[in-house]
Amino acid sequence: MKYDLLIHNVMLLTAGCEIQEGMSVGITGSRIAKIAPADQLPPSQAARVLDGVGKLLMPGLVDAHTHTSQQLLRGSLADEFPMIWVRFLIPFESALSPEDVYCSALLYCLQAVKAGITSFAESGGRHMEQVVRAAAKSGMRAAISRSMMDSGNIPPSMMEGTAEAVAQNDLLFDRFHGAADGRIQIFYGMRQVMTCSPGLVSLVAEHAKARQTGIHAHLCEHRDEVSFCLQRYQMRPAAFLDAHGLLGPNLIAAHSVALSEGDITLLSKRGVKLVHCPYANLINHGFPKTPRLLEAGCSVGLGSDGAAYNSVDLFEEMRALRASLLSQWGLPVFDPVAMPVQAMLRMATQGGAAAIGLGEQLGRIEEGCLADLITINMRKPHISPSNNYVTAILDTVTAQDVSDSIIDGKVVMADRQLSNLDEEAIMAECAQRMHALRRNTAG
């Protein structure tokens, strides 16, 4: 059999988070066709070969909650007090032109690919057709939502009528769902309970169900949201969304920090896909209850939450979350494995894959799965030698150690050289737009 691509003689991270050495992976089309010892899959069997010597092959990371248009807001939120999204994020988004959004999304994709992220879930904003355009150009896989708001304290330019908002999401779905050879999915977006009426929540649930697609929402991100919901509806946010048909296996519930025991039981029962954004949460929202969520059987993924607070780097997000959870959950009861390494790696791969509705065919290296893979250059003094390379992935690997990226069976980065994006041109264009936005929004 002739493979389109062969990753030859590589260390391989299995779905069970174990290391297999001296392996080769043959890829045909968009799928993993064969996994075998390197001596059983010679380079002559492939049209293209990536040399895996000194590299670790693992599933591509999934950024399961991000705001690609926030790249141009970098460095603006340090030392600011809540509510950040009211004072900065929403006004900033309202000022963006379609080309601003496109350039920002390209910059996100550039950084994400170089950081080992092969898929992302865009939680929504203005001009989402431009995010589709950028994702398609980059070669990335994406689940893109149109975040909708029909009430609350937001600029008039961001406010929509309930029916109009859902109709626009319908149009986005009809135009782009399945685009870029199937790499693009269109989800329905609901910003959060403070800016969405009960009618909008119900319509989002109905339209997503009718189209058999996902929903992306912020849930229990901070105390103000919980307080608002209790005062307005006499229910906590999770129960409120459930009462309007929104909770289900197709829902990404971003942040999920301020959860009660009742919330956790309900979210687990409904099969909701929870996503933590460690840096953003730790700066403004608090400590998530991840060990309890996993114990309850919840699916948990990781997200960067955009670039407003930090770089798009899920290796750093994993480290931040594990350190915080060990201090909050492990230290008081002397449990150093309250958040195991393997659990963290699964969150960044399999948990994210489940969030974007591809849990059965993404996030693991198995025959028949989609070929979204990355290699890590292990020949670095901060990584090798090591007595445990699984632990090394979490403790020492950085985004800069990612060498190659394969998405949908195609090489989009080889030896850190991108195939589809002009790095210098994107950075220069974004710098100009960032300065222009700062001038236009000053004062």
Side-chain angles (χ1 to χ4, degrees):
M1 180 176 181
K2 194 80 168 180
Y3 301 103
D4 297 322
L5 176 66
L6 182 70
I7 306 166
H8 186 62
N9 198 16
V10 71
M11 286 192 291
L12 185 150
L13 181 69
T14 70
C17 290
E18 297 177 343
I19 298 291
Q20 293 181 342
E21 298 196 32
M23 301 298 290
S24 287
V25 175
I27 296 168
T28 300
S30 63
R31 305 256 171 192
I32 298 171
K34 185 71 173 179
I35 303 171
D39 58 5
Q40 296 181 21
L41 286 177
S44 59
Q45 292 188 2
R48 180 175 181 179
V49 177
L50 283 181
D51 184 7
V53 174
K55 297 177 181 179
L56 170 72
L57 184 71
M58 63 179 289
L61 307 181
V62 180
D63 186 353
H65 175 72
T66 193
H67 298 262
T68 60
S69 59
Q70 289 179 9
Q71 292 287 323
L72 303 182
L73 194 61
R74 288 176 178 178
S76 300
L77 302 184
D79 299 330
E80 293 290 349
F81 295 102
M83 297 275 286
I84 297 295
W85 75 276
V86 173
R87 292 167 49 225
F88 291 95
L89 302 184
I90 297 300
F92 171 81
E93 285 184 24
S94 70
L96 296 174
S97 71
E99 282 302 309
D100 288 335
V101 172
Y102 176 63
C103 291
S104 181
L106 281 179
L107 184 59
Y108 169 86
C109 293
L110 166 64
Q111 187 177 353
V113 170
K114 299 195 80 170
I117 295 167
T118 54
S119 302
F120 68 91
E122 163 62 69
S123 61
R126 303 183 77 195
H127 313 304
M128 285 298 101
E129 71 283 354
Q130 301 299 329
V131 180
V132 172
R133 179 183 164 203
K137 179 177 176 59
S138 73
M140 292 191 73
R141 191 180 304 279
I144 298 170
S145 307
R146 186 182 183 277
S147 183
M148 294 180 275
M149 297 181 284
D150 68 345
S151 62
N153 182 24
I154 57 176
S157 61
M158 299 290 284
M159 186 78 74
E160 297 179 290
T162 304
E164 172 202 357
V166 178
Q168 289 298 317
N169 208 139
D170 290 344
L171 181 61
L172 190 72
F173 181 92
D174 293 341
R175 289 180 63 193
F176 297 114
H177 189 71
D181 298 321
R183 297 195 320 274
I184 305 298
Q185 298 183 77
I186 301 300
F187 281 17
Y188 280 71
M190 193 214 87
R191 194 76 174 214
Q192 54 127 302
V193 297
M194 296 171 72
T195 58
C196 294
S197 69
L200 178 57
V201 176
S202 295
L203 276 178
V204 165
E206 292 171 11
H207 283 239
K209 181 178 180 180
R211 289 157 181 78
Q212 297 184 315
T213 193
I215 303 168
H216 199 148
H218 296 72
L219 178 65
C220 290
E221 184 176 0
H222 42 71
R223 296 174 184 176
D224 288 347
E225 173 192 342
V226 178
S227 177
F228 171 90
C229 205
L230 288 170
Q231 293 180 54
R232 180 67 62 90
Y233 305 115
Q234 294 75 56
M235 289 185 284
R236 293 180 63 84
F240 170 74
L241 296 184
D242 191 51
H244 290 84
L246 203 80
L247 294 193
N250 65 330
L251 173 64
I252 296 177
H255 298 288
S256 294
V257 175
L259 298 175
S260 70
E261 279 296 310
D263 295 336
I264 293 171
T265 298
L266 178 59
L267 293 168
S268 175
K269 181 179 179 181
R270 296 289 186 260
V272 174
K273 307 304 186 294
L274 312 184
V275 175
H276 293 326
C277 304
Y279 272 111
N281 292 346
L282 293 172
I283 290 169
N284 272 308
H285 307 134
F287 297 91
K289 301 177 180 179
T290 317
R292 179 70 188 95
L293 292 169
L294 295 176
E295 182 183 62
C298 293
S299 173
V300 182
L302 292 180
S304 69
D305 203 27
Y309 292 110
N310 53 282
S311 63
V312 179
D313 185 345
L314 291 190
F315 291 103
E316 289 296 332
E317 297 283 357
M318 282 191 281
R319 276 191 280 276
L321 180 58
R322 186 164 184 262
S324 68
L325 292 174
L326 288 177
S327 66
Q328 288 289 307
W329 288 77
L331 189 60
V333 296
F334 303 104
D335 183 4
V337 291
M339 201 65 237
V341 170
Q342 291 84 352
M344 296 301 312
L345 293 173
R346 290 191 186 102
M347 287 166 61
T349 54
Q350 296 170 29
I356 62 173
L358 296 171
E360 297 300 316
Q361 48 186 327
L362 198 67
R364 66 195 75 209
I365 304 177
E366 294 179 351
E367 292 178 3
C369 285
L370 288 165
D372 286 18
L373 309 167
I374 60 174
T375 70
I376 308 296
N377 182 358
M378 306 297 279
R379 293 180 291 192
K380 299 283 190 74
H382 62 283
I383 302 175
S384 294
S386 176
N387 290 306
N388 187 331
Y389 281 117
V390 174
T391 300
I393 298 171
L394 186 62
D395 287 347
T396 64
V397 168
T398 72
Q400 288 69 41
D401 298 320
V402 178
S403 179
D404 310 297
S405 179
I406 299 99
I407 304 175
D408 214 38
K410 298 176 179 63
V411 179
V412 299
M413 182 173 73
D415 292 325
R416 296 199 64 76
Q417 298 301 306
L418 296 165
S419 303
N420 303 330
L421 300 176
D422 185 330
E423 184 168 348
E424 294 301 322
I426 292 169
M427 292 172 63
E429 176 70 12
C430 284
Q432 292 179 6
R433 290 183 177 276
M434 181 183 287
H435 297 324
L437 282 165
R438 188 165 62 234
R439 288 195 304 271
N440 293 339
T441 57

